[in-house]
Amino acid sequence: MIDWNELNVLAIIIGGLLYMVYGGVYYSIRLGGDKHPEKKHNEIEGPMKYIFSGIVAFISSFIIAIFVQATGAEGFGPGILVGFMVGLIITLVYIKNRLFGLMTNQSLMVAIGDHLVIFTLLGALHGFMF
């Protein structure tokens, strides 16, 4: 059973900010420049993508906080394991999508790298602050 009062709100906020900073750096490095023409073709214009990304960052941090608490993953090591497992599940979904032609190999690699790293980091953060 999850004790909602025991969730660390500060860790959730820090995790959301960490996700946003990491995403900004990761995607500006990985997708910077004009070497990705499909990005421009499929990209949504306007600020809504940034607002939605920020919301997703905090929701993701909240969900990892719940998983870390539910599993009792106290400390860096157990937190890293929980976060990595979540990233691995997301990776498997992306691989399935690639198999059905829903994304390119390059997009697959970008998405896998992003999600494995950020969810592992979020797990470590929440495990440490549990």
Side-chain angles (χ1 to χ4, degrees):
M1 200 68 171
I2 295 175
D3 185 357
W4 298 102
N5 295 323
E6 290 296 317
L7 288 177
N8 188 333
V9 175
L10 180 60
I12 293 169
I13 292 169
I14 292 171
L17 294 172
L18 172 68
Y19 196 135
M20 289 189 294
V21 169
Y22 171 79
V25 171
Y26 181 82
Y27 281 100
S28 66
I29 291 170
R30 288 292 290 146
L31 301 177
D34 293 329
K35 59 186 174 189
H36 299 280
E38 75 277 358
K39 179 186 91 165
K40 295 295 181 197
H41 176 70
N42 295 325
E43 186 173 340
I44 303 298
E45 295 298 322
M48 194 60 201
K49 62 186 169 194
Y50 299 108
I51 294 167
F52 184 74
S53 295
I55 292 168
V56 167
F58 286 102
I59 290 171
S60 298
S61 182
F62 176 73
I63 290 170
I64 294 296
I66 290 171
F67 287 163
V68 165
Q69 185 194 54
T71 59
E74 188 173 345
F76 273 121
I80 285 172
L81 183 59
V82 169
F84 181 78
M85 289 179 2
V86 170
L88 187 61
I89 291 167
I90 293 170
T91 294
L92 293 173
V93 171
Y94 278 118
I95 291 170
K96 176 197 57 87
N97 289 344
R98 174 62 191 114
L99 293 173
F100 284 95
L102 299 176
M103 60 192 324
T104 65
N105 283 336
Q106 187 173 16
S107 295
L108 174 68
M109 291 299 120
V110 169
I112 287 173
D114 174 31
H115 292 93
L116 279 177
V117 172
I118 192 55
F119 283 103
T120 302
L121 289 172
L122 285 175
L125 170 75
H126 286 286
F128 176 72
M129 295 184 79
F130 179 51

